[in-house]
Amino acid sequence: VSTQSTGEEAERRIMQCQEDLITSQKSLAESQSRLLEKRDVEICAVQKTAQSEIKSFSSVLQKSCDSALAPACVSRAIAAVAEDRANNVIVHGLDDKDEESTEDLEEGVKCMLSDVYDGAKVLRTERIGRFKEGVNRPIKVVFMSRDTRDMVLSRKANLMKSRSHSMVYISPDLTPEEREARRVLVGQLRERRSAHPGKTFFIKGGKIVESALEDTN
């Protein structure tokens, strides 16, 4: 009887353990399900927030781009570029050499300007481009003021009377595109003067003009 009772007790405990195990598994499954649901909700919330912020950023960016590209803004940007060039001129045809020092360049420009406007105050000078044998690189000359720049441009025709700088030309500081067109025009002007040494030619309004008068522009 004792052995039978012990066996029944053992069987009862085993069944109880099995029931407890099943209950635990169900509880674990429910917990996992709740965690998955919570994660899905959080992911959905993050996605919605991200989408909202992206839309908001896109809207701000679009407005900023529209504002930056507005005609008034573009006009101001162009005006700022023009203002940066307002004190500058470009000198063409001044003798060039390899490994030219800053002092040599400044002295050459100073000597040339003495034939144009001796009172010109220069802030900075620099060659444009790399040295090439047989080619005189243009020089950008930055004056202390726009008034000085205008005075030099108004008297640039004095170079035609110079013994040492008659083949030097001065023009406003232009954009790269305008500068290329000017370079071609200056080349044509040089050819015209060489072919007709007894006549006076200058550039005016984007054209080569023949006149017995000095260029006052």
Side-chain angles (χ1 to χ4, degrees):
V1 176
S2 178
T3 301
Q4 182 179 0
S5 177
T6 301
E8 290 175 354
E9 180 63 22
E11 185 177 352
R12 187 183 66 78
R13 290 183 178 180
I14 290 173
M15 291 179 65
Q16 183 64 43
C17 288
Q18 289 176 340
E19 291 177 357
D20 291 343
L21 178 60
I22 292 172
T23 300
S24 298
Q25 288 176 339
K26 288 181 178 181
S27 178
L28 178 61
E30 290 174 356
S31 297
Q32 290 176 335
S33 178
R34 287 194 297 271
L35 287 174
L36 290 174
E37 290 177 359
K38 182 178 180 181
R39 187 194 65 177
D40 290 342
V41 171
E42 291 177 348
I43 291 175
C44 184
V46 171
Q47 289 176 337
K48 288 182 178 179
T49 300
Q51 290 174 352
S52 177
E53 290 181 352
I54 289 173
K55 289 181 180 179
S56 177
F57 176 75
S58 297
S59 177
V60 172
L61 182 61
Q62 182 64 44
K63 291 179 180 179
S64 298
C65 291
D66 291 344
S67 176
L69 295 177
C73 292
V74 173
S75 298
R76 285 196 294 270
I78 294 174
V81 172
E83 186 67 23
D84 287 342
R85 301 173 184 273
N87 296 352
N88 309 348
V89 298
I90 302 297
V91 177
H92 308 265
L94 194 64
D95 290 342
D96 196 359
K97 63 181 180 181
D98 194 12
E99 298 183 358
E100 181 180 49
S101 67
T102 301
E103 291 75 15
D104 288 341
L105 178 59
E106 290 177 350
E107 185 60 31
V109 170
K110 181 179 179 181
C111 181
M112 180 273 299
L113 287 176
S114 66
D115 289 338
V116 182
Y117 173 45
D118 200 26
K121 301 297 182 181
V122 176
L123 181 64
R124 187 175 69 256
T125 60
E126 61 180 88
R127 289 279 185 182
I128 300 174
R130 296 182 179 181
F131 176 79
K132 184 177 180 180
E133 192 68 39
V135 177
N136 294 323
R137 291 172 293 170
I139 304 169
K140 180 167 75 172
V141 180
V142 182
F143 294 105
M144 296 293 291
S145 68
R146 183 169 184 170
D147 289 340
T148 300
R149 194 274 321 243
D150 292 344
M151 184 64 72
V152 169
L153 288 175
S154 70
R155 300 184 179 184
K156 63 183 180 181
N158 291 340
L159 288 173
M160 291 187 291
K161 307 174 187 176
S162 172
R163 293 184 178 181
S164 54
H165 300 111
S166 60
M167 299 302 290
V168 176
Y169 308 89
I170 300 177
S171 69
D173 186 10
L174 308 173
T175 65
E177 293 77 12
E178 293 171 331
R179 192 180 301 150
E180 176 59 22
R182 178 78 182 193
R183 185 189 66 79
V184 173
L185 200 58
V186 167
Q188 295 173 351
L189 177 61
R190 185 180 293 108
E191 293 176 358
R192 190 77 63 87
R193 285 180 175 176
S194 297
H196 306 280
K199 297 182 179 181
T200 299
F201 298 94
F202 57 87
I203 295 174
K204 182 176 182 180
K207 298 180 181 180
I208 298 176
V209 179
E210 177 185 351
S211 175
L213 300 177
E214 293 184 355
D215 178 15
T216 58
N217 293 322

